[in-house]
Amino acid sequence: MAALVRRRSLYLLLSVCPFLLGPGANGGRCGYQACPAIKPGMLNVHLVPHTHDDVGWLKTVDQYYYGGQTNTQRAGVQYILDSVITELQADPRRRFIYVEVAFFYRWWRQQSDSMKELVKQLVDEGRLEFVNGGWCMNDEATTHYSSIIDQMTLGFQFLNNTFGKCGRPRVAWHIDPFGHSREQASLFAQMGFDGFFFGRLDYQDKRNRENEREMEQVWRASVNLPEPSADLFTGVLPNGYNPPRMFCWDMLCSDEPIKDDKNLDEYNVDQIVYYFNQTAYKQATHYRTNHIIMTMGSDFHFQDANMWYKNLDKLIKYVNAAQETGSNVNVLYSTPSCYLYELNRANLTWSVKSDDFFPYADGPHEFWTGYFTSRPALKRYERLSNNFLQVCNQLEVLAAADSRSGPYGVGDSSVLRKAMAVAQHHDAVSGTEKQHVANDYAKKLARGWEQCEVLVSNALSSLSGMKQNFIFCDQLNISVCHGIEELSKFTVTLYNPLARAVNVYVRIPVNGTEYTVHDPRAGLVPNQYIRVTFDAHTGLINGIENLLKNLSLPITQSFHWYTASTGDKVSSQPSGAYIFRPKQEQPLPTAKNVKTYTVQTDLFQEVYQNFSAWCSQVVRLYKDQQFVELEWTVGPIPVGDGVGKEVISRFDTSLKTKGIFYTDSNGREILTRRRDYRPTWKLEQTEPVAGNYFPVNSRIYMKDSKMQLTVLTDRSQGGSSIKDGSLELMVHRRLLCDDNRGVGEALSEPGYDGKGLVVRGKHLVFLDTVSASAELHRLQAQAEYMAPWTVMAQGTGTAYSSRPKHIAEFSALKEELPPNVHLLTLAQWDSQSFLIRLEHQFEMGESSVYSKPITVDLANLFSTFKIISVEEMSLGFNQRKEDVSRLKWRTGPAKDSVKSASSRKDSSKHEVVLNPMEIRTFRVRIQYL
Amino acid sequence: MAALVRRRSLYLLLSVCPFLLGPGANGGRCGYQACPAIKPGMLNVHLVPHTHDDVGWLKTVDQYYYGGQTNTQRAGVQYILDSVITELQADPRRRFIYVEVAFFYRWWRQQSDSMKELVKQLVDEGRLEFVNGGWCMNDEATTHYSSIIDQMTLGFQFLNNTFGKCGRPRVAWHIDPFGHSREQASLFAQMGFDGFFFGRLDYQDKRNRENEREMEQVWRASVNLPEPSADLFTGVLPNGYNPPRMFCWDMLCSDEPIKDDKNLDEYNVDQIVYYFNQTAYKQATHYRTNHIIMTMGSDFHFQDANMWYKNLDKLIKYVNAAQETGSNVNVLYSTPSCYLYELNRANLTWSVKSDDFFPYADGPHEFWTGYFTSRPALKRYERLSNNFLQVCNQLEVLAAADSRSGPYGVGDSSVLRKAMAVAQHHDAVSGTEKQHVANDYAKKLARGWEQCEVLVSNALSSLSGMKQNFIFCDQLNISVCHGIEELSKFTVTLYNPLARAVNVYVRIPVNGTEYTVHDPRAGLVPNQYIRVTFDAHTGLINGIENLLKNLSLPITQSFHWYTASTGDKVSSQPSGAYIFRPKQEQPLPTAKNVKTYTVQTDLFQEVYQNFSAWCSQVVRLYKDQQFVELEWTVGPIPVGDGVGKEVISRFDTSLKTKGIFYTDSNGREILTRRRDYRPTWKLEQTEPVAGNYFPVNSRIYMKDSKMQLTVLTDRSQGGSSIKDGSLELMVHRRLLCDDNRGVGEALSEPGYDGKGLVVRGKHLVFLDTVSASAELHRLQAQAEYMAPWTVMAQGTGTAYSSRPKHIAEFSALKEELPPNVHLLTLAQWDSQSFLIRLEHQFEMGESSVYSKPITVDLANLFSTFKIISVEEMSLGFNQRKEDVSRLKWRTGPAKDSVKSASSRKDSSKHEVVLNPMEIRTFRVRIQYL
């Protein structure tokens, strides 16, 4: 059954008064002041000892921490941190950077007080420096901005609490993610980072940049935010994140050590110095200053730090000794921030880029566009978990201590918060991990759910005054809710985490045939917006009409699959977890004719389409909604024929799109995509399908001058427009080959019964005018990722003693926020304060109504507490906004067009102005009413 | 040509007055006093962190030191020592033992003063302990006692000079050599070791010892030396030298770390503690005290010591914590000497063993008897290099500083001394290393020769007063001496390193047909001792007669080869560098009939036998010698038929030997061998040939009541008596399979041209009465391994200014020593003192004349210097004899018969008494005359 329920929810109130940040600054000589001396007249080579520690990939995050399962991978982070600290201690010239707080946090809590003091000293002196500093190094293609911000904030929180200002990362460091989103750069800029380094970009792009000395430039990462608030100095590392050839001295490497005892055979100092200088000079030809960087480390390096440092010490000694005989190369231990600082001091004018770095190809025919879709069930679970985490966060704030300890036991939002942070890793939600690791991510999320379910139960009891036998229907995705289906009577509680009212349909699996819904505001909203037509012969959708706007578009929607390449004469590259490489350009239809049947009620219409034994779809229209809901179910994809398959849902129309389509960037700003084209270099296209795939985090659309067809997704997927008027989204993939990027498994998810994974999902399709579309997809996308949460209960419960009376409805807000203002975050920060983020969720020019700056009056908005003090913070919550001081860079004109935005200021302390796409972050102290 | 030259040589003089040893004792709490506390009522588990660092095997010693060539093996000793020191420093409870001074010495000289001080402190406190302490861990099957003593002395010298008394090893530690010789144990006892531990012994022997709790006992290692001077407490380690299963925490291991954070998945402390206690209790059932030892380490372990120590710390913490809940297991960091000390304190009566541990089999059909012969050319080069080293040592003493710097440049005996020490390693002279490593050993020896050739040239010039154009004919083994062959006139200088006169034939390749020999004492010694008869039909030897004693023995001598097994249905074990496993019991003859021709001169008779294109022999009789010389040339062994071959020389006679034959132990005492029999357990024989092979370092013989047939070898070889009356020696082997013991190469030596190695060697055959045989073979064996050295020179040279006149003959001794006294060592020790060893070279009862104690009067024996002071030392020269104080052990009766010997004392300070097989070692200071 389904019941339509309308819910109003949170209101927000802020008053502004300052308080001091975190544990306070310490007296360390960290930051740029702690950088090593360079030699101005020479080529300065910054050696950056580092380790890249995946927060799960071939092994689980816990396995990586301890270093078990060595037959899978010899990688133990505990040993890395142990031995690096020891080696840093041995020589004050040595430097090290660390990145992944998910690991560091595990290590830290096992250390003695004296070790903690030692590490603090190293951090204070800039010898150990945190870069990036998120909980993990998140993926950029398949992550949602809400969760990126959360995971970075979680890492920053640890660093801030533990090390104070010397622990604040100044450089973003995404050396491994497989392509780079513009939104990620924008978020980094808003977090206060001075620069950004990464390793992976299209091989053609890299070649051109090397030739044109454009390896380093300024990325203008938003067309909405005023310069330079989303400008981020961005450097492409010379060698991915690996050391130059011949200079890898980890226990995982095989290069010859420096053998400097002339009494022993194989003395090699002279040849090492010669080859190093050659390498440095060659690298310098690709960069603009007399500073270059070399990343001395790689995946899980420095488990035995002595090997690295001992040889690096010698390298530095002997290379610099050659200066006495005329060498012009000066080599030093350094960090990315110290290197960045020298680039900044060079005071050059840097070119500007404003597109993104997708898709990534590391060679011809080798497009990393498969992972945009890999593990679609995990991708959905991750997105849904964020929804629940936000609900959990908010209820923790609203019910305060009652939520964390109550009649259901001890609840804890941090378990889900950490699990979600880990899931953002570039081998987690990306789908590029081994199967058992994917299972572990899901298990960690499920454990987080368990804790949040306790917390939510406590909170709901506290807020409602009723203790109920709550049932969280975690299997609604397969239309199962054990404990409810058998009941003749049950209670449904909805919590809407949005700061505005939404209309939602709640679908509950039941066994009965007739139910009466008792709802505080039950009522229908009849309003017929949209019509879908079907081909009587094939059973496929053949058209959509917007009745309100009198728009009609012939559309054929169907499911096809690409045959996965296993390598061919042109290239040995197969399709795999990372890489999408179809065997032919033309996908094959799953069915030419589909069986259909129709269900119609007062609330909705449904057409069931059966494409094959493993592919079906429900086309659903709700009476009061302006979209067509396509609920697809795909799998187990059959591979008994020995053929891997990559399944797409495709919309073919007659729209004249001229090769152009649009995709979102991490759920926020929209990027224009053009087939067989890259904005900043002349593309030699080698894969006409895979080379045109882009990440779709929340929406993809195409348009002509008159109308726009928009598809919202419920998770990240790969999508494209392979021919004009056509849109496609890859929904599921099952492969039989590994694609030789290290994961060492074919992506063939077994599902719960081993026969292959079945995936269900939704596409919401809008057809509207171009000018009206943003208002639809912006609000609906927001309502999808922060949907009202449904909690069932057996019976009606009993009065809960701590509250005077049972209340059936509750709002934390005095009034709802305007539609273009989004309450992005409302969460407990520490025992004294909350974290609140407000977001303007429209771009400039998207909507005549909503794309304007808007002022939110913060006074007295919350119904349950009063705000005592407010401090505006940087996006990552590790600096007061007023303390943010980023390095300044002189920029030339952008190669592609960048609209300029102008800043607006708050008119008063109580009235917060939000410009298009702006996120403002506040730390507040409250008093419960 | 050949000329017979008689040479008298060294005399020796000693006067006895004491002086203090070495750098003096320091104040450290090392030794047994530094041992950790144990818990008397519990099962104490001594964890011994250790590393086993082969001084060359798959990589060269230098490659192992630095850790290059990681694709061959990830093993870098520099990192081991670096990281162990760091980790020892971190916690005073931790212990480590180190063994191979060849590596430690390389590391030490690269350390800073402060690091040296730190290491000294660790040694002083017993936290770092040296065990064994030789330059390497020498092989026991293929080494000669002279070189064993030298290599141990070289290691001890470094430790003594560097660390003083706290650096003196108290425990011998041969955890890896492939079987154990009795002479090795005897030498260890004489070096002052308190105990001996090893890892490898016959699998049946081990099983029986476990069952009977005889894993530890007293080895009575000499039948000549008085008890307990050659008694050595000997322990068989429980698990080779590896950790128990599940507890290997090196970067080269794959066991799960201890995961003790209950917040993380896979917490495993409880199961680790349970399994450890199980392991300990099970091990304790094989041992007699409430102390057991576990070797925590293996090949090249501890490159990242933190991994080991971190997990061992936790193991100790959690296992001992369980004592609070009733566990009876106490685990502690310890060392072999601390474990030994507890065994000694147990004050039990230990059983006694007096045979040896050869041959070694690690399973049925897996006899490690191939390496007795593997790489026969290297084995000969090693033996010959020792000969030259002794010559070099002696001339350095005799010519003093003139030898080290003179007209030929700077000479240095230490290069050859170190190369020889390295060559004693159990993967060096043993022949079980990779080919490139074997080449490196040979190269290092050749470099040592170069330095000694300079030293010898300087010395000869100094002693003779003549500067000559010396030519060292290093290729006499292939009858080549470039620079001499073309000359019509040249000078031959002979240096006899023995302390008695010997008659030798010198063979020099020349192109002319007639030479006149000008010799200070030219003259022939006609005396026809022996006759060899040949079968007219086959061309083979068919008899030997001793004309003097009127003995005659029909003997058929011929060459055969065993087909090397490549594995079969019975066992997959192939023949390889380590293992000998013939496919059939019966070897195949290389030829049934051989072509012969005869050469006869006044000095010798020769019969040339041509067995095949790759096998020939010269049967040679010298007029004044009592042996038949068989000079065989074998190779390249053909393997074009895909069959590996193991070539033997076999002597078949009618002697009734009843399964008994005799082999020497490292060139000294003789052990009785019995076919298909072991003295201490009931053998289940699985290989009737390979299982009866024993190492022959210098001689093998068989006898009946009337006569004895003795064969002396010029290098170590495997030998046996497979049927009564038959003796065989394996002379060469070429194989096509690796035998799966790690070396990873088939033993197929390429030779100089890649077509296969040709090997030439000599067997000296004696036929005499049983009672007279020892006098022959003892003296001749000595004369072979310390043979007179031949140096050629173009022309006659020019007067050398530093000496008044040219002398043509010189002796350093005033008179020769008796035949039963051997000048084992005469070498420079340091700038002030010499090292002298005198040896009684007969066993009790071997000779009616020579098997008696003998007194050597040391007064005024040397002709070139006067001895100022004398200090008697332990055999390894790291303790004054009077300071030697070994642990005492109560012993039961020996299982096999042990003759008891009694001690005799010197009658005066000037008269040194030598008992049979006794070696006495002196440190002397001298004044040149």
Side-chain angles (χ1 to χ4, degrees), chain A residues 782-798:
Chain A
Q782 183 202 56
E784 291 295 317
Y785 100 81
M786 276 175 77
W789 206 256
T790 308
V791 185
M792 316 295 187
Q794 294 178 9
T796 52
T798 54

mmCIF file of all heavy atoms in Angstrom, chain A residues 782-798:
data_model
loop_
_atom_site.group_PDB
_atom_site.id
_atom_site.type_symbol
_atom_site.label_atom_id
_atom_site.label_comp_id
_atom_site.label_asym_id
_atom_site.label_seq_id
_atom_site.Cartn_x
_atom_site.Cartn_y
_atom_site.Cartn_z
ATOM 1 N N GLN A 782 17.167 17.376 -4.014
ATOM 2 C CA GLN A 782 17.368 17.583 -2.578
ATOM 3 C C GLN A 782 16.418 16.694 -1.758
ATOM 4 O O GLN A 782 16.824 16.061 -0.779
ATOM 5 C CB GLN A 782 17.081 19.055 -2.288
ATOM 6 C CG GLN A 782 17.306 19.480 -0.877
ATOM 7 C CD GLN A 782 16.510 20.744 -0.592
ATOM 8 O OE1 GLN A 782 15.283 20.775 -0.779
ATOM 9 N NE2 GLN A 782 17.221 21.776 -0.174
ATOM 10 N N ALA A 783 15.185 16.631 -2.204
ATOM 11 C CA ALA A 783 14.201 15.814 -1.483
ATOM 12 C C ALA A 783 14.501 14.324 -1.592
ATOM 13 O O ALA A 783 14.078 13.530 -0.756
ATOM 14 C CB ALA A 783 12.797 16.106 -2.014
ATOM 15 N N GLU A 784 15.224 13.953 -2.629
ATOM 16 C CA GLU A 784 15.579 12.532 -2.773
ATOM 17 C C GLU A 784 16.736 12.138 -1.861
ATOM 18 O O GLU A 784 16.724 11.083 -1.258
ATOM 19 C CB GLU A 784 15.947 12.225 -4.228
ATOM 20 C CG GLU A 784 14.793 12.293 -5.206
ATOM 21 C CD GLU A 784 13.739 11.214 -4.935
ATOM 22 O OE1 GLU A 784 14.123 10.061 -4.670
ATOM 23 O OE2 GLU A 784 12.538 11.545 -4.973
ATOM 24 N N TYR A 785 17.746 13.007 -1.799
ATOM 25 C CA TYR A 785 18.918 12.574 -1.021
ATOM 26 C C TYR A 785 18.720 12.821 0.471
ATOM 27 O O TYR A 785 19.382 12.178 1.300
ATOM 28 C CB TYR A 785 20.199 13.205 -1.583
ATOM 29 C CG TYR A 785 20.757 14.411 -0.872
ATOM 30 C CD1 TYR A 785 21.531 14.267 0.291
ATOM 31 C CD2 TYR A 785 20.556 15.699 -1.354
ATOM 32 C CE1 TYR A 785 22.067 15.378 0.931
ATOM 33 C CE2 TYR A 785 21.077 16.803 -0.725
ATOM 34 C CZ TYR A 785 21.832 16.646 0.421
ATOM 35 O OH TYR A 785 22.364 17.728 1.061
ATOM 36 N N MET A 786 17.796 13.744 0.812
ATOM 37 C CA MET A 786 17.440 13.897 2.231
ATOM 38 C C MET A 786 15.938 13.696 2.379
ATOM 39 O O MET A 786 15.205 14.601 2.763
ATOM 40 C CB MET A 786 17.880 15.255 2.774
ATOM 41 C CG MET A 786 19.347 15.233 3.202
ATOM 42 S SD MET A 786 20.001 16.828 3.717
ATOM 43 C CE MET A 786 19.296 16.974 5.356
ATOM 44 N N ALA A 787 15.571 12.469 2.088
ATOM 45 C CA ALA A 787 14.137 12.148 2.087
ATOM 46 C C ALA A 787 13.623 11.953 3.500
ATOM 47 O O ALA A 787 14.385 11.616 4.416
ATOM 48 C CB ALA A 787 13.923 10.873 1.276
ATOM 49 N N PRO A 788 12.337 12.147 3.697
ATOM 50 C CA PRO A 788 11.751 11.826 5.003
ATOM 51 C C PRO A 788 12.007 10.372 5.362
ATOM 52 O O PRO A 788 11.990 9.495 4.494
ATOM 53 C CB PRO A 788 10.263 12.094 4.780
ATOM 54 C CG PRO A 788 10.236 13.098 3.688
ATOM 55 C CD PRO A 788 11.373 12.734 2.785
ATOM 56 N N TRP A 789 12.264 10.151 6.613
ATOM 57 C CA TRP A 789 12.608 8.807 7.082
ATOM 58 C C TRP A 789 11.400 8.152 7.712
ATOM 59 O O TRP A 789 10.672 8.791 8.477
ATOM 60 C CB TRP A 789 13.751 8.865 8.084
ATOM 61 C CG TRP A 789 14.532 7.587 8.114
ATOM 62 C CD1 TRP A 789 14.476 6.630 9.061
ATOM 63 C CD2 TRP A 789 15.448 7.147 7.129
ATOM 64 N NE1 TRP A 789 15.314 5.602 8.739
ATOM 65 C CE2 TRP A 789 15.926 5.886 7.546
ATOM 66 C CE3 TRP A 789 15.915 7.668 5.922
ATOM 67 C CZ2 TRP A 789 16.850 5.150 6.806
ATOM 68 C CZ3 TRP A 789 16.832 6.951 5.198
ATOM 69 C CH2 TRP A 789 17.290 5.697 5.635
ATOM 70 N N THR A 790 11.191 6.918 7.369
ATOM 71 C CA THR A 790 10.014 6.198 7.814
ATOM 72 C C THR A 790 10.388 5.207 8.904
ATOM 73 O O THR A 790 11.307 4.425 8.734
ATOM 74 C CB THR A 790 9.404 5.417 6.636
ATOM 75 O OG1 THR A 790 9.228 6.317 5.551
ATOM 76 C CG2 THR A 790 8.083 4.797 7.037
ATOM 77 N N VAL A 791 9.691 5.295 10.016
ATOM 78 C CA VAL A 791 9.892 4.334 11.097
ATOM 79 C C VAL A 791 8.555 3.716 11.432
ATOM 80 O O VAL A 791 7.565 4.422 11.612
ATOM 81 C CB VAL A 791 10.481 5.008 12.350
ATOM 82 C CG1 VAL A 791 10.803 3.972 13.418
ATOM 83 C CG2 VAL A 791 11.721 5.814 11.993
ATOM 84 N N MET A 792 8.498 2.408 11.443
ATOM 85 C CA MET A 792 7.264 1.704 11.786
ATOM 86 C C MET A 792 7.266 1.371 13.268
ATOM 87 O O MET A 792 8.305 1.375 13.924
ATOM 88 C CB MET A 792 7.167 0.374 11.032
ATOM 89 C CG MET A 792 7.538 0.456 9.588
ATOM 90 S SD MET A 792 6.388 1.484 8.655
ATOM 91 C CE MET A 792 7.033 1.164 7.023
ATOM 92 N N ALA A 793 6.092 1.050 13.734
ATOM 93 C CA ALA A 793 6.006 0.540 15.104
ATOM 94 C C ALA A 793 4.817 -0.379 15.207
ATOM 95 O O ALA A 793 3.763 -0.139 14.593
ATOM 96 C CB ALA A 793 5.886 1.681 16.100
ATOM 97 N N GLN A 794 5.023 -1.433 15.969
ATOM 98 C CA GLN A 794 3.907 -2.328 16.275
ATOM 99 C C GLN A 794 2.971 -1.607 17.237
ATOM 100 O O GLN A 794 3.420 -1.048 18.243
ATOM 101 C CB GLN A 794 4.403 -3.607 16.933
ATOM 102 C CG GLN A 794 5.243 -4.466 16.014
ATOM 103 C CD GLN A 794 5.748 -5.704 16.732
ATOM 104 O OE1 GLN A 794 5.333 -5.980 17.848
ATOM 105 N NE2 GLN A 794 6.618 -6.441 16.071
ATOM 106 N N GLY A 795 1.727 -1.604 16.916
ATOM 107 C CA GLY A 795 0.740 -0.985 17.815
ATOM 108 C C GLY A 795 0.967 0.511 17.934
ATOM 109 O O GLY A 795 1.534 1.153 17.033
ATOM 110 N N THR A 796 0.610 1.077 19.048
ATOM 111 C CA THR A 796 0.712 2.520 19.211
ATOM 112 C C THR A 796 1.620 2.932 20.353
ATOM 113 O O THR A 796 1.818 4.111 20.591
ATOM 114 C CB THR A 796 -0.687 3.128 19.469
ATOM 115 O OG1 THR A 796 -1.282 2.404 20.553
ATOM 116 C CG2 THR A 796 -1.557 3.021 18.241
ATOM 117 N N GLY A 797 2.195 1.966 21.050
ATOM 118 C CA GLY A 797 3.180 2.304 22.066
ATOM 119 C C GLY A 797 2.573 2.695 23.388
ATOM 120 O O GLY A 797 1.359 2.689 23.583
ATOM 121 N N THR A 798 3.516 3.013 24.319
ATOM 122 C CA THR A 798 3.092 3.398 25.657
ATOM 123 C C THR A 798 3.703 4.748 25.993
ATOM 124 O O THR A 798 4.731 5.128 25.446
ATOM 125 C CB THR A 798 3.574 2.373 26.708
ATOM 126 O OG1 THR A 798 4.989 2.229 26.556
ATOM 127 C CG2 THR A 798 2.912 1.039 26.504
#
